[in-house]
Amino acid sequence: MTARRGRTLLVVTVAAMVLVALGLALRPTDRPAPATAGSAVVASPTPAPADGPAVIVPGRPGESAVARPAGEVRDTASPRYNSLDVWFVRMMIPHHQQALEMAELAEGRAGSPRVRAVADRIRGAQGPEIGMMRGWLSARGLPAEVPGHDHGTMRGMQSPEAIRRLTDARGAEFDRLFVQMMTAHHQGAVTMATDLLSVGADQQLNEFANAVATEQSVEIDRMRELI
């Protein structure tokens, strides 16, 4: 072996040793210590998914339900409503009250059992609905009364004179007046409820208004068959 080759081999050997030493020096030493008896091991929480499963959101009356990401429907705020929702409830309470007043007159005055049956259905439906509407206002800290408002101007409301004529009537005459007046009264309620569906914001009231419009339209058809 020549002196030149010997020097080359020495240089390569020294370089290799230096690289090995550097590798050992740079190796990570911050490994976690093994758990000992009595020590608690806390697992890192698994990151929560950015979005949960899809949520079925009911549509407005007449619309289909849709699926939306859960993150888009998380809403802890109070239910939303607007001034037209409040106005509808405040007007529909006295409107229902007059319907109950007319229906109660049927007992002892109506000549037809079918007219009495209609009156019974009205009492059974609209009494609880008044309670629901009063509860809706109370839950929001809103009074039911509208000072100074003339409820007689509402759609379908009957005048005091008309109520007196109905009160004085008996038999077939009562049946005729009752069907005539209650049909007009229901038509007013259907209009009020239908109007709310296009301007209201409260989902519960939209469902209620849709039910009023549907059920009272059916009742109108029943009363028309009586005459």
Side-chain angles (χ1 to χ4, degrees):
M1 178 185 297
T2 64
R4 184 175 181 180
R5 290 183 62 190
R7 287 196 298 272
T8 301
L9 181 59
L10 178 60
V11 170
V12 171
T13 302
V14 171
M17 292 175 66
V18 170
L19 291 174
V20 171
L22 287 173
L24 291 173
L26 296 176
R27 184 175 57 185
T29 58
D30 55 345
R31 295 176 182 174
T36 58
S39 64
V41 178
V42 181
S44 299
T46 303
D51 256 326
V55 176
I56 303 300
V57 180
R60 293 167 67 91
E63 297 177 353
S64 302
V66 295
R68 294 176 58 190
E72 293 183 7
V73 295
R74 292 174 190 149
D75 186 9
T76 58
S78 300
R80 292 183 295 273
Y81 63 91
N82 59 29
S83 61
L84 297 173
D85 290 319
V86 178
W87 185 257
F88 169 79
V89 174
R90 286 175 171 167
M91 296 301 102
M92 192 59 77
I93 288 175
H95 203 277
H96 270 33
Q97 286 173 331
Q98 189 181 70
L100 290 182
E101 178 185 358
M102 294 164 61
E104 287 166 359
L105 292 174
E107 187 68 28
R109 291 178 173 83
S112 169
R114 296 176 65 190
V115 169
R116 288 195 295 272
V118 169
D120 288 342
R121 282 196 296 268
I122 290 171
R123 288 199 301 268
Q126 298 198 25
E129 288 174 355
I130 290 174
M132 182 279 292
M133 290 186 285
R134 288 190 178 279
W136 187 92
L137 291 170
S138 178
R140 291 156 180 79
L142 301 170
E145 294 74 21
V146 184
H149 183 264
D150 181 8
H151 295 309
T153 62
M154 291 189 295
R155 295 176 183 270
M157 289 290 281
Q158 301 299 302
S159 68
E161 292 78 16
I163 296 295
R164 281 194 293 270
R165 288 198 304 272
L166 184 65
T167 302
D168 294 339
R170 297 291 188 278
E173 177 65 11
F174 178 90
D175 296 345
R176 183 186 65 80
L177 285 174
F178 179 86
V179 170
Q180 176 185 345
M181 293 167 62
M182 191 64 80
T183 296
H185 199 272
H186 276 20
Q187 288 171 334
V190 169
T191 300
M192 292 166 64
T194 304
D195 288 346
L196 183 73
L197 294 177
S198 61
V199 296
D202 184 90
Q203 182 64 32
Q204 179 188 3
L205 289 185
N206 269 264
E207 293 171 359
F208 170 64
N210 187 61
V212 168
T214 302
E215 293 167 7
Q216 296 205 17
S217 293
V218 171
E219 200 72 69
I220 289 170
D221 291 339
R222 288 175 180 159
M223 288 189 290
R224 284 174 174 165
E225 292 175 359
L226 299 179
I227 56 175

